[in-house]
Amino acid sequence: MEESSARRKRLALLTLCVTMFMSMLDNVIVSNALPRIGQDLDAGISGLQWVAEGYSLVYAALVLTGGALGDRHGRTRVFRRGLALFTAGSAAAALAGTIGVLVAARMLQGVGAALLTPGSLAILRHVFTDERERAKAIGLWSGVSALGLSVGPVVGGPMVEHLGWASVFWINVPIGAAGLVLAARVLPDIASRPRRIDLGGLVLSVAGLGSLVYALIEGPSRGWTDTRVLACGAAAAVLLAAFLVLELRLAEPMLELRLFRDGVLCGALLSGFMVSFGMFGALFFLPLLMQGVLGWAPSDAGYAGLPMTAMIVFAAPLSSRLTTRFGPRLPLVLGVALCAVDLGGLSLYGEDARYVQYLWTLFTMGLGMGMTFTPVSIAVLHQVPPARTGMASATINTLRELGGVLGIAVLGAILTNRMTGTLTASLRRLGVPAGAVGPIADAPTGAGHGAGVTGAALPGPVQAAVDGAFVDGVHLALRCGSAALAATAVLVALLLGRARPAAAPAADGDRTRPESDPEPHVEAHTQ
């Protein structure tokens, strides 16, 4: 009987790991495909930002609602439905013939991911009830999630080069189908509980985030004083402020802001948010730099990420042990600081740098990312009661994805703004008309060095101006990301100053709940 139970636990963990691997993989596997997508679908930098943001934006906006739906209709049932939608969205993306259809399919993937990921961590906690056994399972689950983020560029490059860009979406279809079969057989049914769906919060958050991202992506190309950009920026500020006010007033909100009263929770969630901000932002434009400016083939750009992958594989279990023994402060502060050093280090190298010169930054990036993923999950679950696991899981994933959304949008805006200014000045000196700056600026989105989105070769001096301006923009974006992460490392060190080791028994799992709160509903555990 015990052997059968242990086998079921292993299969359940395998199912959760595989599906999380797939959803995390999809965040970054598209990166190496972006130059080819830009060439085949005639999309500039802003269009490619929407390809990357379409998934993450919808995911970040809906994942909290996904957690609430899991509570209300059963976490395993909603998990399976999300996996089915994600798989269908992947097939639609692979078949897309225009940039608009591709963005819509990416959004459908985001809906599926928003439904399946909140239940993943909650189901894992339900399956593994022993504290140490659970910590190991979470370590493996988090490590696999981090591995998905690191393996994406490595496997994406060769796939794009030999099978075409659609292959990065087709790969999800068999994985999703296998996950659905396993989920139906081995995942336990978790009792649902009455839960009101916060429709007001959903509408305000979706509209607010959408307006904010639109303003950030379109601002550099339309101009920051453009009426539409200004209107979206103002709408985002009003809508997101209204969302926060509404969540504070509701008895059962979509986002439980009282969680942020706990310093450990706040520090852990901030770490996850900011690492995604810096790393996703960097992973968006580095393939464009490698393929569009340095002239690398997609396979070479993918293989360049192997050191980062190796370090994530090494760091994820190490961070789990460090968290169990010393608490989350050490690995989180170290991980965020390493990410800051990495982005700053990358900004020191230009278009003439050799791979061996900046190889150390890839090791640092992998080590920093690997050190942060597991401690965030363990720290949050250690601080919240079982009844709030779904909310905590959804919050972790929301802030990670939102960090990625804002990282691509904010750092992309910095890059585009700097690049446009530098390129305009350079082309003016070359006698190129001002009206040609926009199309020429999209040259790095081509599939190969010296080709723009239309595939037409640029004159040598113009191409050199484009390359120099793009590198200049990348450097500024990297330095801004590095400064933000360095400040975050200091703040997290202060917030987590008194964090306990994760293995220590929690005297009161409701430390984040005010004394006046009613006792939370404890769901029935079924096998």
Side-chain angles (χ1 to χ4, degrees):
M1 189 69 175
E2 289 184 4
E3 183 178 348
S4 175
S5 176
R7 181 175 179 274
R8 193 176 184 86
K9 286 182 178 181
R10 289 195 296 270
L11 287 174
L13 180 60
L14 173 65
T15 304
L16 297 174
C17 285
V18 167
T19 52
M20 280 302 295
F21 176 84
M22 180 178 68
S23 63
M24 292 296 106
L25 181 76
D26 207 70
N27 270 305
V28 292
I29 194 174
V30 179
S31 297
N32 273 341
L34 290 176
R36 289 285 174 90
I37 292 172
Q39 184 183 44
D40 291 351
L41 302 185
D42 194 21
I45 291 178
S46 63
L48 297 185
Q49 280 184 280
W50 279 114
V51 172
E53 297 280 52
Y55 174 85
S56 297
L57 177 61
V58 172
Y59 180 97
L62 297 182
V63 69
L64 289 170
T65 300
L69 289 171
D71 286 340
R72 183 170 179 173
H73 300 290
R75 290 170 181 169
T76 304
R77 182 185 302 173
V78 172
F79 174 90
R80 289 197 293 260
R81 290 176 181 175
L83 183 55
L85 281 176
F86 184 90
T87 305
S90 298
L95 296 170
T98 65
I99 197 70
V101 173
L102 179 57
V103 171
R106 292 281 288 160
M107 289 182 172
L108 180 59
Q109 286 183 297
V111 174
L115 294 178
L116 74 90
T117 49
S120 183
L121 192 54
I123 294 169
L124 186 127
R125 180 166 188 167
H126 177 91
V127 171
F128 295 92
T129 55
D130 178 75
E131 187 75 26
R132 290 187 178 276
E133 189 179 43
R134 180 188 297 158
K136 291 179 181 179
I138 292 174
L140 180 59
W141 177 84
S142 300
V144 169
S145 300
L147 185 62
L149 292 175
S150 63
V151 165
V154 176
V155 302
M159 288 176 64
V160 170
E161 185 170 345
H162 300 295
L163 301 174
W165 62 262
S167 62
V168 302
F169 300 110
W170 281 127
I171 191 176
N172 294 329
V173 176
I175 297 175
L180 283 169
V181 172
L182 277 172
R185 293 188 175 187
V186 303
L187 294 186
D189 289 325
I190 302 178
S192 59
R193 67 183 181 94
R195 176 82 184 269
R196 190 183 67 85
I197 303 301
D198 180 12
L199 293 178
L202 172 62
V203 172
L204 289 172
S205 62
V206 170
L209 288 173
S211 299
L212 176 61
V213 170
Y214 180 89
L216 288 170
I217 289 179
E218 298 298 329
S221 58
R222 291 179 175 271
W224 294 107
T225 57
D226 178 78
T227 303
R228 190 179 302 179
V229 172
L230 288 174
C232 284
V238 173
L239 291 168
L240 292 176
F243 169 73
L244 295 176
V245 171
L246 176 65
E247 297 306 284
L248 286 170
R249 294 171 62 89
L250 292 178
E252 196 169 16
M254 184 170 73
L255 176 62
E256 179 57 88
L257 295 175
R258 286 174 293 185
L259 291 175
F260 294 88
R261 294 177 181 176
D262 184 284
V264 175
L265 280 173
C266 189
L269 293 171
L270 178 64
S271 299
F273 175 86
M274 287 305 301
V275 167
S276 291
F277 177 92
M279 296 300 105
F280 276 64
L283 290 174
F284 168 74
F285 47 71
L286 284 179
L288 297 177
L289 175 65
M290 290 179 176
Q291 296 179 50
V293 176
L294 301 182
W296 290 23
S299 292
D300 295 333
Y303 294 144
L306 281 172
M308 180 179 70
T309 302
M311 289 309 297
I312 287 181
V313 173
F314 166 77
L318 173 62
S319 66
S320 179
R321 290 193 293 269
L322 289 174
T323 304
T324 301
R325 184 169 182 180
F326 301 108
R329 186 185 189 216
L330 173 62
L332 282 179
V333 172
L334 179 60
V336 175
L338 285 172
C339 289
V341 170
D342 167 71
L343 295 187
L346 276 172
S347 72
L348 300 176
Y349 302 99
E351 55 193 289
D352 296 325
R354 295 183 178 181
Y355 180 67
V356 293
Q357 291 178 290
Y358 57 85
L359 180 62
W360 69 271
T361 65
L362 299 177
F363 283 107
T364 306
M365 180 183 291
L367 184 59
M369 291 176 66
M371 291 294 287
T372 58
F373 281 102
T374 302
V376 170
S377 298
I378 293 179
V380 171
L381 287 189
H382 187 59
Q383 295 294 111
V384 301
R388 296 190 178 186
T389 303
M391 170 68 74
S393 174
T395 302
I396 293 172
N397 288 293
T398 296
L399 292 179
R400 278 178 175 165
E401 286 298 323
L402 186 57
V405 168
L406 294 180
I408 293 173
V410 172
L411 298 183
I414 293 171
L415 183 159
T416 308
N417 231 36
R418 181 62 167 262
M419 177 185 177
T420 301
T422 304
L423 184 59
T424 300
S426 299
L427 294 181
R428 187 183 298 117
R429 289 193 294 269
L430 294 173
V432 176
V437 172
I440 291 174
D442 284 328
T445 66
H449 185 62
V453 294
T454 61
L458 296 173
V462 175
Q463 183 64 61
V466 171
D467 292 349
F470 189 78
V471 171
D472 188 40
V474 168
H475 283 175
L476 179 61
L478 289 171
R479 287 165 186 160
C480 290
S482 176
L485 284 167
T488 301
V490 175
L491 183 57
V492 170
L494 296 174
L495 289 171
L496 272 68
R498 298 181 180 180
R500 298 171 299 166
D508 181 8
D510 286 343
R511 289 203 316 163
T512 62
R513 189 179 70 254
E515 292 180 7
S516 59
D517 280 6
E519 188 69 13
H521 171 84
V522 180
E523 59 193 30
H525 288 256
T526 58
Q527 289 288 14

PDB file of all heavy atoms in Angstrom, residues 82-98:
ATOM      1  N   GLY A  82      -7.000  24.126 -17.986  1.00  0.00           N
ATOM      2  CA  GLY A  82      -5.946  25.056 -18.384  1.00  0.00           C
ATOM      3  C   GLY A  82      -4.929  24.402 -19.291  1.00  0.00           C
ATOM      4  O   GLY A  82      -4.480  24.993 -20.279  1.00  0.00           O
ATOM      5  N   LEU A  83      -4.561  23.178 -18.969  1.00  0.00           N
ATOM      6  CA  LEU A  83      -3.598  22.452 -19.796  1.00  0.00           C
ATOM      7  C   LEU A  83      -4.145  22.214 -21.198  1.00  0.00           C
ATOM      8  O   LEU A  83      -3.411  22.327 -22.190  1.00  0.00           O
ATOM      9  CB  LEU A  83      -3.250  21.126 -19.117  1.00  0.00           C
ATOM     10  CG  LEU A  83      -2.197  20.249 -19.788  1.00  0.00           C
ATOM     11  CD1 LEU A  83      -0.902  21.023 -20.016  1.00  0.00           C
ATOM     12  CD2 LEU A  83      -1.932  19.001 -18.947  1.00  0.00           C
ATOM     13  N   ALA A  84      -5.435  21.914 -21.297  1.00  0.00           N
ATOM     14  CA  ALA A  84      -6.055  21.705 -22.603  1.00  0.00           C
ATOM     15  C   ALA A  84      -6.046  22.992 -23.428  1.00  0.00           C
ATOM     16  O   ALA A  84      -5.734  22.978 -24.639  1.00  0.00           O
ATOM     17  CB  ALA A  84      -7.483  21.192 -22.432  1.00  0.00           C
ATOM     18  N   LEU A  85      -6.374  24.138 -22.792  1.00  0.00           N
ATOM     19  CA  LEU A  85      -6.357  25.411 -23.504  1.00  0.00           C
ATOM     20  C   LEU A  85      -4.945  25.795 -23.946  1.00  0.00           C
ATOM     21  O   LEU A  85      -4.739  26.301 -25.056  1.00  0.00           O
ATOM     22  CB  LEU A  85      -6.924  26.514 -22.607  1.00  0.00           C
ATOM     23  CG  LEU A  85      -8.440  26.592 -22.469  1.00  0.00           C
ATOM     24  CD1 LEU A  85      -8.822  27.676 -21.468  1.00  0.00           C
ATOM     25  CD2 LEU A  85      -9.095  26.872 -23.817  1.00  0.00           C
ATOM     26  N   PHE A  86      -3.977  25.552 -23.075  1.00  0.00           N
ATOM     27  CA  PHE A  86      -2.588  25.871 -23.406  1.00  0.00           C
ATOM     28  C   PHE A  86      -2.136  25.058 -24.624  1.00  0.00           C
ATOM     29  O   PHE A  86      -1.482  25.586 -25.535  1.00  0.00           O
ATOM     30  CB  PHE A  86      -1.688  25.564 -22.215  1.00  0.00           C
ATOM     31  CG  PHE A  86      -0.255  25.950 -22.424  1.00  0.00           C
ATOM     32  CD1 PHE A  86       0.194  27.211 -22.067  1.00  0.00           C
ATOM     33  CD2 PHE A  86       0.650  25.066 -22.984  1.00  0.00           C
ATOM     34  CE1 PHE A  86       1.511  27.578 -22.270  1.00  0.00           C
ATOM     35  CE2 PHE A  86       1.972  25.421 -23.188  1.00  0.00           C
ATOM     36  CZ  PHE A  86       2.403  26.685 -22.832  1.00  0.00           C
ATOM     37  N   THR A  87      -2.497  23.793 -24.658  1.00  0.00           N
ATOM     38  CA  THR A  87      -2.119  22.930 -25.780  1.00  0.00           C
ATOM     39  C   THR A  87      -2.780  23.394 -27.067  1.00  0.00           C
ATOM     40  O   THR A  87      -2.145  23.446 -28.134  1.00  0.00           O
ATOM     41  CB  THR A  87      -2.507  21.477 -25.482  1.00  0.00           C
ATOM     42  OG1 THR A  87      -1.910  21.079 -24.229  1.00  0.00           O
ATOM     43  CG2 THR A  87      -2.020  20.537 -26.564  1.00  0.00           C
ATOM     44  N   ALA A  88      -4.075  23.760 -26.996  1.00  0.00           N
ATOM     45  CA  ALA A  88      -4.781  24.256 -28.177  1.00  0.00           C
ATOM     46  C   ALA A  88      -4.176  25.568 -28.670  1.00  0.00           C
ATOM     47  O   ALA A  88      -4.015  25.783 -29.881  1.00  0.00           O
ATOM     48  CB  ALA A  88      -6.263  24.438 -27.857  1.00  0.00           C
ATOM     49  N   GLY A  89      -3.825  26.467 -27.734  1.00  0.00           N
ATOM     50  CA  GLY A  89      -3.200  27.724 -28.117  1.00  0.00           C
ATOM     51  C   GLY A  89      -1.857  27.518 -28.794  1.00  0.00           C
ATOM     52  O   GLY A  89      -1.493  28.256 -29.721  1.00  0.00           O
ATOM     53  N   SER A  90      -1.103  26.512 -28.356  1.00  0.00           N
ATOM     54  CA  SER A  90       0.192  26.211 -28.969  1.00  0.00           C
ATOM     55  C   SER A  90       0.012  25.789 -30.423  1.00  0.00           C
ATOM     56  O   SER A  90       0.769  26.214 -31.307  1.00  0.00           O
ATOM     57  CB  SER A  90       0.895  25.105 -28.181  1.00  0.00           C
ATOM     58  OG  SER A  90       1.153  25.504 -26.853  1.00  0.00           O
ATOM     59  N   ALA A  91      -0.985  24.927 -30.679  1.00  0.00           N
ATOM     60  CA  ALA A  91      -1.250  24.497 -32.055  1.00  0.00           C
ATOM     61  C   ALA A  91      -1.664  25.681 -32.921  1.00  0.00           C
ATOM     62  O   ALA A  91      -1.236  25.809 -34.083  1.00  0.00           O
ATOM     63  CB  ALA A  91      -2.330  23.418 -32.061  1.00  0.00           C
ATOM     64  N   ALA A  92      -2.507  26.569 -32.378  1.00  0.00           N
ATOM     65  CA  ALA A  92      -2.945  27.742 -33.140  1.00  0.00           C
ATOM     66  C   ALA A  92      -1.770  28.662 -33.458  1.00  0.00           C
ATOM     67  O   ALA A  92      -1.678  29.221 -34.553  1.00  0.00           O
ATOM     68  CB  ALA A  92      -4.016  28.501 -32.360  1.00  0.00           C
ATOM     69  N   ALA A  93      -0.843  28.830 -32.516  1.00  0.00           N
ATOM     70  CA  ALA A  93       0.333  29.671 -32.748  1.00  0.00           C
ATOM     71  C   ALA A  93       1.209  29.090 -33.850  1.00  0.00           C
ATOM     72  O   ALA A  93       1.743  29.822 -34.695  1.00  0.00           O
ATOM     73  CB  ALA A  93       1.124  29.828 -31.453  1.00  0.00           C
ATOM     74  N   ALA A  94       1.367  27.779 -33.845  1.00  0.00           N
ATOM     75  CA  ALA A  94       2.196  27.133 -34.861  1.00  0.00           C
ATOM     76  C   ALA A  94       1.627  27.322 -36.260  1.00  0.00           C
ATOM     77  O   ALA A  94       2.368  27.358 -37.246  1.00  0.00           O
ATOM     78  CB  ALA A  94       2.333  25.647 -34.545  1.00  0.00           C
ATOM     79  N   LEU A  95       0.301  27.439 -36.361  1.00  0.00           N
ATOM     80  CA  LEU A  95      -0.360  27.564 -37.665  1.00  0.00           C
ATOM     81  C   LEU A  95      -0.574  29.014 -38.090  1.00  0.00           C
ATOM     82  O   LEU A  95      -1.099  29.265 -39.176  1.00  0.00           O
ATOM     83  CB  LEU A  95      -1.721  26.852 -37.621  1.00  0.00           C
ATOM     84  CG  LEU A  95      -1.676  25.326 -37.397  1.00  0.00           C
ATOM     85  CD1 LEU A  95      -3.075  24.796 -37.122  1.00  0.00           C
ATOM     86  CD2 LEU A  95      -1.054  24.631 -38.609  1.00  0.00           C
ATOM     87  N   ALA A  96      -0.188  29.990 -37.231  1.00  0.00           N
ATOM     88  CA  ALA A  96      -0.460  31.398 -37.495  1.00  0.00           C
ATOM     89  C   ALA A  96       0.259  31.874 -38.762  1.00  0.00           C
ATOM     90  O   ALA A  96       1.422  31.568 -38.980  1.00  0.00           O
ATOM     91  CB  ALA A  96      -0.037  32.250 -36.300  1.00  0.00           C
ATOM     92  N   GLY A  97      -0.474  32.653 -39.576  1.00  0.00           N
ATOM     93  CA  GLY A  97       0.099  33.195 -40.801  1.00  0.00           C
ATOM     94  C   GLY A  97       0.312  34.692 -40.763  1.00  0.00           C
ATOM     95  O   GLY A  97       0.904  35.258 -41.679  1.00  0.00           O
ATOM     96  N   THR A  98      -0.188  35.348 -39.720  1.00  0.00           N
ATOM     97  CA  THR A  98       0.002  36.786 -39.560  1.00  0.00           C
ATOM     98  C   THR A  98       0.400  37.080 -38.125  1.00  0.00           C
ATOM     99  O   THR A  98       0.154  36.268 -37.221  1.00  0.00           O
ATOM    100  CB  THR A  98      -1.289  37.574 -39.877  1.00  0.00           C
ATOM    101  OG1 THR A  98      -2.292  37.246 -38.905  1.00  0.00           O
ATOM    102  CG2 THR A  98      -1.801  37.234 -41.283  1.00  0.00           C
TER     103      THR A  98
END
